[in-house]
């Protein structure tokens, strides 16, 4: 009887969850990175019963998925040697500094502090992110203006210094005590963009720049990343979404790959290798979702991520997929995935060895992100 009940719960869970992801996405933009079916069921069952019942269903489905896609094996992993953190000084001109770099810092000073960049790629502001790290430790992304002075900077590492004492791991309450009430909207030309409370982020306007503070919702809403950007660069981007082209697609893919590895290394995991073949699989799925206006792990032919990998002759011992839609940048997509437990768990699975990223844009320039993880 107990086995029958568990089987019934599993069937109900799959039945209820599947239609949620198969609905067209043209009617909404998911900026809060929600990936649960709680709200759909809550109106029928009531909030308290949803929490318990959906937890049981999720655990059952997750275990089945891992069993289907896993085989025990020895996986060659790239575990980096730990590097030292830099000594951090309080900023001289900005509210915050990252790795002793502030907005306005010349490129020569940046490279004296950080060394040569590992790569550079187009971002949504029309400039490039120059990426600096040591085996994805001390990870920093920097953008420069036409005079080669810093006009944007980001980190998701313990490299933040502030005259107010804010640093990596500070609480949301301490951040707001230091910098006041966060913005609830941003005006760009004739457009006003409303910022949602549940995005896991605060936005502050300080002098001539904006500061995005990202929180880790799984660590009591403590600071996990910061992006600072000059007002002139922020306002240069008039719309929420930049025009999607091949260069921006390649930029988002490179950035999301690097951000994912930086998060893995920060949490004691191995560095994933880029895989061209599975990146093409991921890109095709993003393009299919963008062209056909849906958002689902299963495509319109009913193929799962694992079916698509096998169809592309990709052999794997373990595999997984993360999807995101509607986030205006690779940074927002990554931070949202890390704040969604299922996606976060997938990012941090120890046994993965390779990763492919695929990005595509719909006719409104809204990006679709697909991450395909696997171990060979």
């Amino acid at each position: 009887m107990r086995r029958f009940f568990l089987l019934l719960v599993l069937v109900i869970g799959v039945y209820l969850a599947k239609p949620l992801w198969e609905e067209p996405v043209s009617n909404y933009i998911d900026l809060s990175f929600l990936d649960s079916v709680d709200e759909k069921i809550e109106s029928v069952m009531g909030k308290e019963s949803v929490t318990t019942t959906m937890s049981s269903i999720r655990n059952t489905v997750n275990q089945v998925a891992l069993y289907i896609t896993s085989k025990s094996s020895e996986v060659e992993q790239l575990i980096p040697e730990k590097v030292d953190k830099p000594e951090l000084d309080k900023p001289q001109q900005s509210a915050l500094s990252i790795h002793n770099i502030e907005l306005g810092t010349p490129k020569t000073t940046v490279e004296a502090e950080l060394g040569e960049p590992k790569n550079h790629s187009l971002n949504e502001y029309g400039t490039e992110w120059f990426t600096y790290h040591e085996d994805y430790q001390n990870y920093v992304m920097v953008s420069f203006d036409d005079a080669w002075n810093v006009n944007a900077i980001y980190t998701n590492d313990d490299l933040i210094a502030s005259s107010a004492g804010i640093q990596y791991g500070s609480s949301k309450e301490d951040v707001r005590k230091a910098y006041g009430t966060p913005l609830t909207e941003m005006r760009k030309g004739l457009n006003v963009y409303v910022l949602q409370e549940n995005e896991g982020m605060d936005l502050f306007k300080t002098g001539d720049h904006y500061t995005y503070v990202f929180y880790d919702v799984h660590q009591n809403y403590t600071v996990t990343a910061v992006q600072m950007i000059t007002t002139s660069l922020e306002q240069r981007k008039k719309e929420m979404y930049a025009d999607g082209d091949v260069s921006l697609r390649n930029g988002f893919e490179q950035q999301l790959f690097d951000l994912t590895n930086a998060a893995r290394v920060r949490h004691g995991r191995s560095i994933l290798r880029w895989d061209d073949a599975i990146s093409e699989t991921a890109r095709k799925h993003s393009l299919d979702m963008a062209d056909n206006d849906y958002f689902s792990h299963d495509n319109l032919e009913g193929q799962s991520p694992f079916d698509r990998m096998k169809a592309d002759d990709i052999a794997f011992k373990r595999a997984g997929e993360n999807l995101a839609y509607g986030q205006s940048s690779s940074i927002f997509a990554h931070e949202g995935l890390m704040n969604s437990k299922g996606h976060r768990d997938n990012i941090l699975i120890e046994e993965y060895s390779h990763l492919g990223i695929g990005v595509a844009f719909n006719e409104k320039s809204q990006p679709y992100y697909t991450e395909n993880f696997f171990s060979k």
Side-chain angles (χ1 to χ4, degrees):
M1 185 67 182
R2 187 168 180 269
R3 289 183 178 179
F4 175 76
F5 175 74
L6 291 175
L7 179 60
L8 181 62
V9 169
L10 175 60
V11 172
I12 292 172
V14 173
Y15 175 78
L16 289 173
K18 190 176 179 65
L20 180 68
W21 294 115
E22 291 182 346
E23 294 176 359
V25 296
S26 59
N27 297 326
Y28 66 92
I29 298 173
D30 183 7
L31 294 180
S32 55
F33 316 111
L34 299 177
D35 68 331
S36 72
V37 296
D38 292 3
E39 292 181 5
K40 174 171 277 193
I41 305 174
E42 189 171 313
S43 61
V44 178
M45 299 180 61
K47 187 171 183 178
E48 292 183 2
S49 60
V50 167
T51 302
T52 303
T53 304
M54 287 311 301
S55 176
S56 301
I57 292 173
R58 280 184 183 137
N59 289 339
T60 304
V61 173
N62 286 342
Q63 289 168 8
V64 171
L66 292 177
Y67 175 77
I68 290 173
T69 62
S70 301
K71 298 178 183 177
S72 59
S73 63
E74 292 289 333
V75 179
E76 181 186 354
Q77 294 188 323
L78 299 175
I79 306 292
E81 293 185 8
K82 190 172 183 179
V83 301
D84 294 332
K85 294 293 181 186
E87 292 186 10
L88 300 177
D89 301 322
K90 290 184 178 180
Q92 301 299 311
Q93 300 177 354
S94 305
L96 292 166
S97 64
I98 293 173
H99 206 309
N100 298 320
I101 304 299
E102 301 180 51
L103 294 175
T105 300
K107 185 180 181 183
T108 53
T109 304
V110 171
E111 293 187 348
E113 177 76 16
L114 304 180
E116 293 292 326
K118 299 296 184 182
N119 57 59
H120 56 93
S121 56
L122 185 68
N123 62 35
E124 68 276 16
Y125 293 102
T127 63
E128 290 187 307
W129 282 123
F130 288 77
T131 304
Y132 304 84
H133 59 85
E134 302 168 74
D135 287 333
Y136 290 102
Q137 299 166 82
N138 297 332
Y139 184 85
V140 182
M141 295 163 64
V142 180
S143 166
F144 298 98
D145 62 20
D146 293 340
W148 292 105
N149 296 319
V150 175
N151 60 4
I153 184 169
Y154 164 91
T155 189
N156 60 358
D157 209 338
D158 186 8
L159 302 170
I160 304 163
S162 163
S163 55
I166 300 304
Q167 57 188 344
Y168 184 91
S170 292
S171 68
K172 179 192 283 190
E173 291 76 14
D174 286 343
V175 172
R176 291 184 174 185
K177 285 178 183 176
Y179 300 113
T181 303
L183 299 179
T184 58
E185 62 182 34
M186 177 182 286
R187 181 180 296 275
K188 292 190 173 187
L190 299 177
N191 300 314
V192 176
Y193 299 105
V194 177
L195 306 175
Q196 301 179 31
E197 174 65 23
N198 60 351
E199 286 188 23
M201 178 207 77
D202 278 338
L203 175 60
F204 301 95
K205 179 70 165 62
T206 307
D208 62 352
H209 69 272
Y210 291 92
T211 302
Y212 294 84
V213 181
F214 299 92
Y215 302 105
D216 189 333
V217 304
H218 303 289
Q219 297 292 329
N220 299 316
Y221 282 87
T222 51
V223 175
T224 190
V226 165
Q227 175 181 281
M228 295 188 296
I229 183 167
T230 62
T231 301
S232 59
L233 182 58
E234 183 67 65
Q235 292 299 325
R236 195 168 86 181
K237 180 170 167 278
K238 298 300 183 182
E239 306 290 339
M240 176 176 290
Y241 300 107
D243 291 336
D245 58 16
V246 172
S247 295
L248 187 59
R249 179 202 71 186
N250 293 342
F252 279 0
E253 291 175 353
Q254 177 68 60
Q255 293 150 28
L256 191 53
F257 176 80
D258 288 340
L259 289 162
T260 302
N261 267 327
R264 282 180 60 88
V265 170
R266 195 174 70 247
H267 286 85
R269 305 297 192 266
S270 63
I271 297 172
L272 301 179
R273 302 171 179 86
W274 177 271
D275 187 88
D276 286 330
I278 207 166
S279 297
E280 185 61 27
T281 302
R283 186 179 293 163
K284 286 189 296 185
H285 186 55
S286 288
L287 184 61
D288 188 41
M289 290 189 293
D291 286 347
N292 293 292
D293 191 28
Y294 74 97
F295 185 60
S296 172
H297 290 291
D298 290 351
N299 64 20
L300 298 181
E301 285 72 44
Q303 290 181 314
S304 72
F306 316 112
D307 294 330
R308 295 191 296 274
M309 293 175 196
K310 291 175 182 177
D312 288 342
D313 296 322
I314 296 170
F316 57 88
K317 295 183 174 69
R318 183 169 192 168
E321 178 176 90
N322 281 348
L323 303 179
Y325 159 71
Q327 293 79 31
S328 59
S329 75
S330 52
I331 289 175
F332 279 92
H334 171 72
E335 297 298 338
L337 290 169
M338 286 297 291
N339 275 340
S340 168
K341 187 177 187 309
H343 295 112
R344 180 193 186 99
D345 290 347
N346 213 17
I347 289 170
L348 299 180
I349 285 176
E350 294 185 20
E351 289 81 4
Y352 289 146
S353 59
H354 292 75
L355 171 62
I357 307 287
V359 175
F361 303 90
N362 66 12
E363 60 184 8
K364 299 178 182 177
S365 293
Q366 297 164 349
Y368 290 72
Y369 308 85
T370 300
E371 297 179 323
N372 283 158
F373 304 85
F374 76 111
S375 55
K376 293 188 176 182

